[in-house]
């Protein structure tokens, strides 16, 4: 499959461990955030979203934490599995007429069996 | 529900040619966004359409254009292709648009310009 990014930050974890992927977003006016997972040869897949009126949201095996004070977003994956190996992107939206999503550069997660 | 479908999956074109990419959104979704993905620049926004109207446009030259049909299907066109246009072009749909509604992506069209 194609490479989705050169020199991406890489996080390597053992299967069964918890993973934490971090993201610093750029615009203090951003009020909507999304995490995506992209596997080789595929498009980004929606994982979880959060609005700025929340600081935590949980999904199935995933939790997103938002710290607006320091413009920081994190994605926690519980009991990481080999199928979680992918590139993870955070995206922010700060509005405007209708706005658009601004994507981060991505973090590559590698899960060791 | 079927996901976002993009055709073709792969394209090889020569500099100076033009190309048209197609996107069928998730049924019921009226917003379609297009992104360009390259290793160097990451995911960059091209434009967004809603009910056949372009609502938002990124910082790409006028060689990049798009349109949306009444059935919400969308096409993007790149004219006078340059080597730097080689990229993965991603289409995404959402119910109402990027504001508080997640985008759902297709698997993209891989364009190679030689």
């Amino acid at each position: 499959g194609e490479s989705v990014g050169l020199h991406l930050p890489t996080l390597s974890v053992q299967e069964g461990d918890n993973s934490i992927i971090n993201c610093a977003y750029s615009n203090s006016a951003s009020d909507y955030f999304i995490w995506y997972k992209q596997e080789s040869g595929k498009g980004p897949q929606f994982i979880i979203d959060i609005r700025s009126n929340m600081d935590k949201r949980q999904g199935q095996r995933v939790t997103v934490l938002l710290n607006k004070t320091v413009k920081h977003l994190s994605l926690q994956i519980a009991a990481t599995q080999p199928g979680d190996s992918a590139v993870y992107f955070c995206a922010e939206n700060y509005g405007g007429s209708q706005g658009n999503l601004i994507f981060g550069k991505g973090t590559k997660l590698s899960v060791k069996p | 529900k079927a996901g976002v479908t993009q055709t073709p999956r792969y394209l090889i074109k020569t500099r100076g040619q033009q190309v048209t990419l197609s996107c069928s959104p998730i049924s019921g979704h009226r917003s379609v966004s297009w992104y360009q993905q390259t290793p160097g620049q990451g995911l960059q926004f091209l434009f967004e359409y809603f009910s056949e109207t372009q609502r938002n446009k990124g910082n790409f030259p006028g060689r990049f254009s798009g349109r949306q049909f009444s059935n919400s299907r969308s096409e993007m066109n790149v004219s006078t292709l340059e080597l730097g246009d080689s990229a993965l072009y991603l289409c995404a749909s959402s119910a109402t648009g990027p504001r508080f509604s997640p985008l759902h992506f297709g698997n993209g069209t891989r364009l190679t310009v030689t």
Side-chain angles (χ1 to χ4, degrees):
Chain A
E2 66 279 355
S3 168
V4 298
L6 298 176
H7 309 299
L8 283 176
T10 299
L11 174 65
S12 186
V13 301
Q14 203 70 38
E15 181 179 0
D17 287 352
N18 296 334
S19 302
I20 300 177
I21 301 171
N22 295 304
C23 174
Y25 63 91
S26 59
N27 195 319
S28 57
S30 292
D31 56 5
Y32 180 53
F33 305 89
I34 307 179
W35 279 100
Y36 285 93
K37 169 188 180 184
Q38 187 172 26
E39 297 173 279
S40 184
K42 296 186 177 181
Q45 176 188 352
F46 169 73
I47 301 173
I48 191 168
D49 58 357
I50 188 168
R51 295 194 185 195
S52 59
N53 61 351
M54 304 173 70
D55 53 20
K56 180 179 180 179
R57 192 168 187 216
Q58 289 184 293
Q60 187 176 12
R61 278 202 308 122
V62 295
T63 301
V64 55
L65 298 177
L66 174 62
N67 185 328
K68 294 181 288 293
T69 303
V70 295
K71 294 191 292 184
H72 185 267
L73 199 64
S74 69
L75 177 71
Q76 300 177 1
I77 304 174
T80 314
Q81 303 166 1
D84 295 326
S85 294
V87 177
Y88 289 79
F89 294 95
C90 65
E92 61 183 295
N93 186 304
Y94 56 86
S97 55
Q98 278 297 323
N100 68 82
L101 283 183
I102 309 298
F103 282 81
K105 293 299 184 185
T107 296
K108 184 175 181 178
L109 175 65
S110 178
V111 182
K112 296 175 288 187
Chain B
K1 242 183 193 181
V4 176
T5 303
Q6 291 189 247
T7 56
R9 282 282 278 148
Y10 301 93
L11 266 177
I12 300 175
K13 291 286 187 179
T14 304
R15 267 183 305 175
Q17 288 186 314
Q18 74 163 13
V19 67
T20 299
L21 313 181
S22 181
C23 172
S24 292
I26 292 172
S27 178
H29 283 189
R30 296 168 65 188
S31 169
V32 173
S33 297
W34 288 89
Y35 282 80
Q36 181 195 66
Q37 186 174 32
T38 59
Q41 298 299 317
L43 281 144
Q44 292 189 291
F45 172 72
L46 283 155
F47 26 66
E48 187 238 348
Y49 287 87
F50 184 86
S51 293
E52 302 180 68
T53 300
Q54 187 182 88
R55 284 201 300 197
N56 211 349
K57 188 176 187 304
N59 296 321
F60 278 82
R63 300 185 296 107
F64 292 81
S65 63
R67 58 178 176 168
Q68 187 181 32
F69 303 96
S70 58
N71 61 359
S72 293
R73 194 178 67 85
S74 178
E75 289 181 347
M76 69 163 281
N77 184 278
V78 188
S79 63
T80 320
L81 284 165
E82 301 177 0
L83 294 179
D85 297 332
S86 294
L88 181 66
Y89 290 88
L90 292 160
C91 168
S93 74
S94 68
T96 56
R99 289 299 282 155
F100 307 124
S101 174
L103 301 187
H104 297 273
F105 285 84
N107 287 328
T109 294
R110 167 68 62 185
L111 173 64
T112 302
V113 182
T114 63

